[in-house]
Amino acid sequence: MSENIIEMNKINKWYDDFHVLKDVDLNVKKGEKIVICGPSGSGKSTMIRCINRLEEFQQGSLMVDGININNNIKNIEAVRKDVGMVFQHFNLFPHLTILENLTLAPTRVKRVPKEEAELMAMEYLDLVRIGDQAHKFPGQLSGGQKQRVAIARSLCMRPKVLLFDEPTSALDPEMVKEVLDVMVKLAKEGITMLCVTHEMGFAREVADRVLFMDEGRIVEENNPNDFFDNPKNERTKNFLSQIIH
Amino acid sequence: MNKYFQDEKIRAQIFQFLTLFMILGIFGYLFHNTQTNLEKQNIATGFGFLKFEAGFDIGESMIEYWSDDTYKKAIFVGVLNTLKVAIIGNFLAVFFGVLIGLSHLSQNWLLRKISKFYIETIRNIPLLLQLFFWYAVFTENLPGVKEAMELLPNIFLNNRGLYFPIPVDTKSFSFIFIALVISIIGFFFLEKVRVKKEILEGKSFSFFEKLNYLIFLLPVLTWFILGSPSEINYPSLSGFNFSGGYRFSPEFSALVLGLVIYTSAFNAEITRAGISSIDKGQWEAASALGISKSDSLKIIILPQALRVMLPPLTSQILNLTKNSSLAVAIGYPDFVSITNTTMNQTGQAIECVFIIMVIYLSLSILTSFVMNQFAKRFQIVER
């Protein structure tokens, strides 16, 4: 087995006539941190959503931890156990308490006994520094707290890969840092991360590689320092000049 | 004076007072008018007639009733008949409504089209017409007694009704049923106490959770105490008719079937609207965690959708209950039809209409109350 945990090979995807992903190739090594940026509509969210099959693709192949992602339901189930995801809009379950949000998947999907699941959930809630809110409902938390709960929720499945889909874009500015701090902490613990974000400070601190996507293609990839200080592609330069004020 | 009239609050009060005055005036006039007219025609007012002998038979009754019983008892028999239709009908209509609503959202093309066809056809045909149709099917098209269809083992259908087995000792089983209801209520109460305690003390009492299920031993225990009755009364052909078991008459069956089929279509649309109203992100979050589609629906989507669905669903439950008064058209003795007969025999039109109004009003208020309590359970806590 190769040491690549994700192998994307010439992935193509269309929404009806619209060609979203064009021949996307990407290999991710175990433990690697990857930051993906690009203008909206460039296909970056769609690409990472292919990894846990929230989106289907029409051409190409995708292996995640040795599992081929195709129409096989067993494979999809297996991959989703190994890949966690954090969404832009948190998507917590509003009718369940924070603790229930965390224990639901382990008890339902992995058949972990309830007591054990709750202990693990409390551990992760403490990790994201929110243990005292365990019995509240999502509606009672701030945006930053919600996103930290969402991170803890995906960790409860003990995933091998974590996907972040613009985790800080829906947050008030003063709450971005508390979420990024948690993400940096996770990155340092060695989990494989793919993160769609425009937080450059975060990218410089943790990313091994930064990818730039435009119109469905990966246009440029480099280590964070070279990427930001000295971009080669014209479109990357354009984009970076727009997000740096 | 002008100053007072420009004050917002005083103005509002003056207008309210005027409205009240007008309403009282109109009702006062109507009441007085009726009173004098009734006196002119020598019609006695009041509810005294309820104690008189009814003198008519009732096709089917859940309690013992003879034609020399009072009007009061006759109307009570009617109320029970209405309740029987309303309770059985609503349970089935909600169950099938949710099922058809879910099929309408299913990935399966055929299922989706069939449910769409069902909804669009059924809800666009007047209910009365559908009731006539089902009544005709039950009385004209079903086989006679000797050729009765056996739908399931020991369940028979013919043009005299639907027959199925029931326990011989109905009295004991009504106690067991009550015990079951008590244990369900008790279970929810105990669970509530446990959850509250968990939140207050910040630790899990999963030990009690298992213990709380023990309350369901209550109906089992009742069964043992009553001498574990287990004899079943099976319907069977004897002579020219079926005997034994329990019978739903063709009128009852046609009424329930018609109401259920009609109301299910509306309930299905309510279900579809409720589920569609839930953010796509909820499905995605559940999928990303590896939770299966059916589990997502059960644990995540439906509990949230119910919050949106309950108010219109309550309206449909009330509608079915009130639409059951169309029973009069196919000869099922619901309480409107019995009260109508009473009205024709006694001439006490105002009192009878009043009784009908009061009973429907109390049924509706009771239903709304129960549904509102139910809705509180699904409220989402914010802030």
Side-chain angles (χ1 to χ4, degrees):
Chain A
M1 203 187 93
S2 64
E3 57 173 335
N4 285 339
I5 194 158
I6 297 173
E7 288 181 4
M8 261 188 209
N9 202 346
K10 295 227 177 302
I11 283 190
N12 278 285
K13 178 177 170 63
W14 287 264
Y15 285 123
D16 295 324
D17 285 341
F18 182 56
H19 199 169
V20 218
L21 295 178
K22 298 169 188 162
D23 287 336
V24 174
D25 283 310
L26 175 67
N27 291 328
V28 180
K29 289 194 193 68
K30 218 168 242 173
E32 216 178 354
K33 326 284 179 256
I34 292 187
V35 164
I36 303 148
C37 56
S40 70
S42 60
K44 48 196 194 312
S45 290
T46 311
M47 183 190 75
I48 68 164
R49 286 158 61 93
C50 284
I51 296 170
N52 64 349
R53 188 67 180 196
L54 286 184
E55 302 282 352
E56 290 176 34
F57 49 87
Q58 281 84 27
Q59 279 174 17
S61 73
L62 172 54
M63 299 277 277
V64 178
D65 198 24
I67 304 165
N68 193 3
I69 313 250
N70 48 23
N71 283 327
N72 187 326
I73 297 171
K74 282 267 166 280
N75 288 4
I76 297 172
E77 275 175 15
V79 149
R80 284 177 176 169
K81 276 185 203 171
D82 284 346
V83 179
M85 185 164 208
V86 176
F87 298 85
Q88 181 179 3
H89 295 289
F90 332 130
N91 298 346
L92 296 178
F93 307 131
H95 60 303
L96 302 178
T97 64
I98 302 303
L99 192 62
E100 287 166 340
N101 262 281
L102 267 68
T103 54
L104 182 65
T107 52
R108 280 276 158 178
V109 182
K110 286 188 166 175
R111 309 268 165 220
V112 177
K114 201 176 157 204
E115 290 83 357
E116 203 179 304
E118 283 180 351
L119 278 176
M120 177 174 69
M122 287 311 294
E123 236 171 74
Y124 283 120
L125 281 178
D126 287 335
L127 180 82
V128 300
R129 292 189 307 277
I130 211 161
D132 49 337
Q133 317 274 15
H135 291 283
K136 285 194 179 165
F137 286 90
Q140 296 167 301
L141 304 187
S142 72
Q145 289 174 322
K146 279 185 207 169
Q147 195 59 296
R148 284 186 278 148
V149 170
I151 294 172
R153 179 175 71 178
S154 55
L155 289 176
C156 279
M157 288 297 280
R158 302 205 192 275
K160 292 176 183 152
V161 179
L162 257 186
L163 309 173
F164 290 85
D165 190 0
E166 308 208 28
T168 56
S169 318
L171 295 176
D172 288 335
E174 77 270 21
M175 291 169 180
V176 170
K177 191 175 174 298
E178 62 186 56
V179 172
L180 288 180
D181 284 348
V182 168
M183 288 166 64
V184 171
K185 199 150 98 180
L186 284 179
K188 297 209 165 121
E189 286 181 13
I191 192 167
T192 311
M193 272 164 78
L194 277 84
C195 185
V196 174
T197 185
H198 298 147
E199 297 292 339
M200 287 189 304
F202 172 76
R204 278 182 197 270
E205 189 172 349
V206 304
D208 297 310
R209 269 190 288 164
V210 181
L211 311 185
F212 178 75
M213 281 186 78
D214 192 32
E215 290 177 358
R217 286 180 211 280
I218 297 176
V219 195
E220 181 162 358
E221 67 171 277
N222 214 332
N223 67 63
N225 288 333
D226 287 341
F227 181 88
F228 289 114
D229 299 337
N230 180 5
K232 294 187 183 65
N233 191 295
E234 215 38 56
R235 279 182 283 184
T236 318
K237 282 181 201 165
N238 235 329
F239 177 75
L240 287 176
S241 70
Q242 269 161 6
I243 62 167
I244 302 166
H245 304 291
Chain B
M1 188 63 202
N2 212 0
K3 204 177 98 193
Y4 278 120
F5 209 67
Q6 279 167 3
D7 186 307
E8 207 178 359
K9 275 186 187 152
I10 293 176
R11 249 169 94 130
Q13 272 167 1
I14 291 173
F15 281 122
Q16 282 192 33
F17 183 74
L18 283 177
T19 319
L20 183 71
F21 192 73
M22 262 161 58
I23 292 172
L24 284 180
I26 292 169
F27 273 98
Y29 170 75
L30 285 176
F31 186 74
H32 177 75
N33 206 16
T34 321
Q35 197 82 1
T36 38
N37 278 337
L38 286 174
E39 259 166 44
K40 245 187 258 169
Q41 291 172 23
N42 274 330
I43 297 176
T45 49
F47 291 94
F49 70 96
L50 285 175
K51 291 199 293 285
F52 301 155
E53 185 184 313
F56 56 83
D57 276 315
I58 297 178
E60 56 189 290
S61 164
M62 291 167 75
I63 55 173
E64 212 164 288
Y65 169 86
W66 306 101
S67 58
D68 55 359
D69 278 323
T70 59
Y71 283 120
K72 198 159 91 185
K73 188 155 180 198
I75 293 175
F76 183 63
V77 167
V79 172
L80 286 182
N81 280 344
T82 293
L83 282 177
K84 184 162 117 183
V85 171
I87 291 171
I88 295 179
N90 274 318
F91 266 109
L92 294 176
V94 171
F95 178 76
F96 286 111
V98 171
L99 219 62
I100 296 162
L102 290 177
S103 332
H104 199 173
L105 292 169
S106 123
Q107 310 268 351
N108 186 323
W109 182 88
L110 188 63
L111 209 56
R112 213 164 54 227
K113 291 296 164 196
I114 291 176
S115 1
K116 190 171 163 65
F117 178 75
Y118 173 87
I119 292 168
E120 293 307 333
T121 324
I122 295 297
R123 69 171 177 172
N124 286 313
I125 298 174
L127 175 58
L128 188 58
L129 208 63
Q130 296 192 30
L131 289 180
F132 283 141
F133 173 78
W134 290 117
Y135 188 57
V137 167
F138 267 89
T139 51
E140 311 277 337
N141 292 20
L142 285 182
V145 173
K146 296 238 156 136
E147 296 85 32
M149 295 190 272
E150 190 163 5
L151 298 177
L152 293 166
N154 289 312
I155 297 180
F156 297 93
L157 184 66
N158 63 35
N159 61 8
R160 292 192 192 169
L162 180 71
Y163 298 78
F164 51 89
I166 50 162
V168 173
D169 193 353
T170 41
K171 208 167 201 168
S172 304
F173 271 92
S174 55
F175 282 120
I176 293 166
F177 181 73
I178 291 169
L180 184 68
V181 172
I182 290 175
S183 48
I184 290 173
I185 296 171
F187 177 73
F188 279 111
F189 176 73
L190 287 175
E191 278 293 283
K192 218 172 179 175
V193 171
R194 179 182 68 89
V195 172
K196 211 171 204 169
K197 211 169 158 186
E198 276 191 354
I199 292 173
L200 278 181
E201 302 185 15
K203 53 186 166 183
S204 143
F205 290 97
S206 39
F207 170 68
F208 283 108
E209 185 189 9
K210 276 160 203 150
L211 218 61
N212 288 349
Y213 282 105
L214 285 181
I215 196 169
F216 286 109
L217 283 178
L218 190 66
V220 181
L221 217 65
T222 322
W223 184 69
F224 271 114
I225 290 171
L226 293 169
S228 46
S230 53
E231 216 179 319
I232 302 278
N233 186 356
Y234 291 103
S236 61
L237 189 63
S238 64
F240 292 109
N241 208 345
F242 271 85
S243 65
Y246 192 81
R247 180 181 82 115
F248 283 154
S249 69
E251 292 81 14
F252 175 84
S253 313
L255 182 63
V256 168
L257 193 66
L259 286 171
V260 166
I261 288 179
Y262 181 73
T263 317
S264 300
F266 292 89
N267 289 349
E269 281 296 85
I270 291 170
T271 309
R272 186 168 74 99
I275 289 174
S276 313
S277 76
I278 304 302
D279 183 35
K280 211 168 81 243
Q282 295 286 311
W283 286 103
E284 286 179 355
S287 302
L289 287 165
I291 298 170
S292 70
K293 267 246 143 93
S294 62
D295 270 356
S296 309
L297 184 70
K298 242 176 8 210
I299 316 167
I300 293 156
I301 305 300
L302 267 184
Q304 295 182 63
L306 263 177
R307 193 170 44 107
V308 189
M309 284 161 58
L310 277 177
L313 214 51
T314 308
S315 299
Q316 285 306 325
I317 289 175
L318 295 175
N319 269 351
L320 188 146
T321 310
K322 286 177 291 182
N323 284 341
S324 74
S325 61
L326 289 174
V328 77
I330 56 171
Y332 177 74
D334 83 319
F335 93 91
V336 175
S337 109
I338 289 176
T339 317
N340 258 325
T341 313
T342 307
M343 180 157 71
N344 290 336
Q345 290 190 2
T346 60
Q348 306 284 355
I350 294 178
E351 288 81 357
C352 286
V353 171
F354 184 74
I355 290 174
I356 296 178
M357 278 177 13
V358 166
I359 290 179
Y360 271 128
L361 191 65
S362 7
L363 281 183
S364 300
I365 289 176
L366 189 72
T367 312
S368 302
F369 177 75
V370 171
M371 293 302 280
N372 284 341
Q373 293 305 309
F374 196 52
K376 271 188 193 156
R377 292 190 61 90
F378 290 98
Q379 219 105 64
I380 285 178
V381 181
E382 297 202 42
R383 252 154 258 289

